[in-house]
Amino acid sequence: MNYDLKDIEYQHDYVYKVTFEDGTSGLVDFADVINSTKPYSVLMNLNLFKKAYIHPELKTLTWADDLDYDPIILYYKANNIPFPTSWGEVS
């Protein structure tokens, strides 16, 4: 499966529309991640959150200081695929 991002588009609040190289796309709300995971708490600053980009080598959603989001988890969230229980809790 190809988890590389092709396009991102800021929607509103803490939501991005993400499109992958395989043509799938979906909306991902990062509010829970920002509120529950320390490294992402800096993204409460909406101006910083809106400055996401696709990392040129990793092809995943990235913010300042190379803060990125796991492309596999991003793919599952965007495509509403249930996470395997063996992964434990996923933010």
Side-chain angles (χ1 to χ4, degrees):
M1 201 168 291
N2 187 345
Y3 301 108
D4 290 350
L5 274 178
K6 179 179 180 183
D7 189 47
I8 60 171
E9 182 181 328
Y10 175 76
Q11 298 294 297
H12 59 85
D13 300 320
Y14 295 101
V15 178
Y16 268 96
K17 179 181 179 185
V18 293
T19 304
F20 296 88
E21 289 290 336
D22 69 359
T24 63
S25 66
L27 299 178
V28 178
D29 188 344
F30 289 91
D32 288 343
V33 175
I34 292 168
N35 289 317
S36 66
T37 311
K38 183 144 177 108
Y40 296 98
S41 64
V42 298
L43 298 176
M44 283 183 185
N45 176 334
L46 199 52
N47 288 327
L48 181 60
F49 179 79
K50 290 178 181 181
K51 293 181 181 177
Y53 62 95
I54 299 173
H55 190 282
E57 294 173 10
L58 302 176
K59 303 293 187 203
T60 194
L61 193 63
T62 307
W63 292 273
D65 297 325
D66 288 332
L67 178 63
D68 64 4
Y69 197 74
D70 184 290
I72 298 171
I73 295 174
L74 186 62
Y75 187 90
Y76 274 61
K77 283 186 171 195
N79 290 290
N80 295 312
I81 301 170
F83 299 114
T85 55
S86 62
W87 288 8
E89 188 175 331
V90 177
S91 293

